[in-house]
Amino acid sequence: MESGYGKLVNILPNIGANIDFLEDFNKLAFAVEIDDARMIGETRDEETLNTGYLNTKGKGMYNRSLDVPARKEVHRSKIVSFNTTASQLPGLALGLNTLDASGNANLRVLAYTKTIDAHRIFSVGIMSWWDGSLDEAGCCWMEVAADDPDYQFGAFNTKDDHSWDRPQPQTVRKLHFKRAYREPPKVVLWLNSLDITHQSGWHVNIYAINISEYGFTMHIDTWDNNSAIFACGATWVAHSAGARGVASGICSTVDSGSVEFGRGVFEKSPQNIFLGISSLDFRYRCKQRIELRSSNVCKDGMRVHIDTGDDDNVGWATASYIIRA
């Protein structure tokens, strides 16, 4: 049987049409949705930052509605061309920015990328599995050049520390930068995957402590005795503190949402805005939703919105952001 990669490559010549197919790929139900054909083969300037968003809105991800056995995977993805001629392709930092799911099933979601080096393209996807039931999910991605002199990024998952069937209320890992900074950098964390119980709601917090020139300590925690984290993944991005042309930080549902970049950080309104979920404290309900967005962006600041629909359902939530010129 032709591989999933082979299918992706073969459909590129016909990319002008929307494509939706289902195949048995490594015994998994695998659906690919290409919903932005304009991005394939699009010509960009060499220095243009490759960024974007993927959202499954209107394309629900319900494993139980598929005519396949349980434990299958459901994917929604799109293919994008790299806009660089560098011999080593860039890396892609991912963060979830939208979740809309039923409260009567475990939350199972994963944002991922797959790179096809020979064709200089990559796919960005969102996956659910087992009995997961997502009405909507979304993520953002940020390109980081392999030889970027400042930005560094990576990912960590609780499964790197312990098995999914031995959930822990706190997972701690010391992470090291490949290149040391002159002073402690800024570190931004985004959730990129979740597999958590639903009995008492969503309760997860990721954060960094003990940030130094050489690395930091990541926490992935829950605090509810009835809330088990089977698996949780986080993306981290580091950049020099005080650098021009970049701003980063955290906003909470208890904040006003107003963000000030600082004087002289940007010469004009920044075009690259990355918002990712970094914590959730949602009480149990039949329906749970969070969506991040920005508004009123200018060279001096912006407003971050953490939309949850029903305020009675939310204890609090946080969004971490990186803004690049």
Side-chain angles (χ1 to χ4, degrees):
M1 176 176 290
E2 188 177 22
S3 70
Y5 282 154
K7 285 266 191 175
L8 294 176
V9 172
N10 288 340
I11 63 177
L12 289 177
N14 302 315
I15 202 65
N18 289 334
I19 300 168
D20 189 4
F21 65 85
L22 188 67
E23 70 163 345
D24 183 9
F25 175 45
N26 293 336
K27 297 182 180 180
L28 301 175
F30 184 78
V32 174
E33 189 79 22
I34 301 174
D35 54 9
D36 194 349
R38 294 172 302 172
M39 302 190 75
I40 303 298
E42 182 178 334
T43 301
R44 305 183 183 90
D45 294 335
E46 173 70 15
E47 300 301 322
T48 300
L49 186 66
N50 202 337
T51 65
Y53 302 88
L54 172 66
N55 191 285
T56 67
K57 191 171 185 178
K59 301 288 184 181
M61 304 173 73
Y62 312 106
N63 284 0
R64 288 166 293 182
S65 68
L66 289 174
D67 186 22
V68 293
R71 306 185 185 183
K72 300 294 184 177
E73 296 180 0
V74 182
H75 300 243
R76 297 286 181 260
S77 65
K78 68 179 176 182
I79 300 175
V80 185
S81 59
F82 282 108
N83 58 316
T84 176
T85 58
S87 58
Q88 188 172 357
L89 293 177
L92 297 159
L94 280 175
L96 290 165
N97 57 24
T98 301
L99 293 171
D100 190 337
S102 169
N104 58 11
N106 290 355
L107 177 60
R108 307 187 195 276
V109 59
L110 167 69
Y112 65 90
T113 62
K114 293 181 180 179
T115 300
I116 306 175
D117 292 0
H119 294 268
R120 305 187 71 81
I121 61 175
F122 65 92
S123 65
V124 176
I126 294 175
M127 179 181 82
S128 186
W129 64 95
W130 200 281
D131 61 349
S133 182
L134 283 172
D135 289 325
E136 182 183 350
C139 69
C140 66
W141 73 83
M142 182 181 81
E143 180 181 283
V144 179
D147 58 351
D148 193 293
D150 188 26
Y151 288 90
Q152 298 184 63
F153 82 100
F156 172 72
N157 194 290
T158 55
K159 292 189 292 185
D160 300 330
D161 182 81
H162 55 269
S163 174
W164 70 269
D165 57 353
R166 296 183 178 179
Q168 300 179 11
Q170 184 179 85
T171 301
V172 182
R173 176 63 61 94
K174 177 68 175 179
L175 300 173
H176 302 276
F177 302 131
K178 291 182 178 179
R179 305 183 307 274
Y181 288 89
R182 293 182 178 180
E183 60 180 351
K186 296 285 189 178
V187 175
V188 175
L189 301 181
W190 297 324
L191 289 168
N192 61 42
S193 66
L194 281 167
D195 185 358
I196 59 178
T197 56
H198 68 281
Q199 284 88 348
S200 63
W202 302 345
H203 307 288
V204 61
N205 185 25
I206 59 173
Y207 58 97
I209 62 172
N210 300 329
I211 301 172
S212 73
E213 300 92 325
Y214 309 102
F216 65 97
T217 299
M218 180 187 289
H219 273 254
I220 301 179
D221 299 347
T222 187
W223 53 94
D224 188 293
N225 292 332
N226 297 317
S227 183
I229 299 177
F230 297 121
C232 178
T235 298
W236 62 266
V237 180
H239 68 86
S240 296
R244 292 176 62 87
V246 58
S248 63
I250 300 176
C251 289
S252 169
T253 50
V254 300
D255 300 330
S256 65
S258 179
V259 174
E260 295 182 1
F261 298 146
R263 186 175 181 180
V265 173
F266 297 107
E267 296 180 356
K268 59 182 181 180
S269 297
Q271 301 298 309
N272 300 296
I273 301 168
F274 309 95
L275 296 170
I277 301 166
S278 52
S279 69
L280 295 168
D281 182 25
F282 279 32
R283 305 178 184 93
Y284 174 76
R285 290 291 188 276
C286 291
K287 186 73 169 174
Q288 304 187 62
R289 176 178 176 81
I290 180 172
E291 180 180 10
L292 310 182
R293 58 185 178 88
S294 61
S295 67
N296 302 330
V297 180
C298 66
K299 66 181 181 64
D300 299 315
M302 67 175 181
R303 182 169 293 277
V304 174
H305 304 266
I306 306 177
D307 298 333
T308 58
D310 182 3
D311 292 338
D312 293 335
N313 192 24
V314 183
W316 49 270
T318 60
S320 296
Y321 62 86
I322 299 179
I323 315 299
R324 297 178 65 175

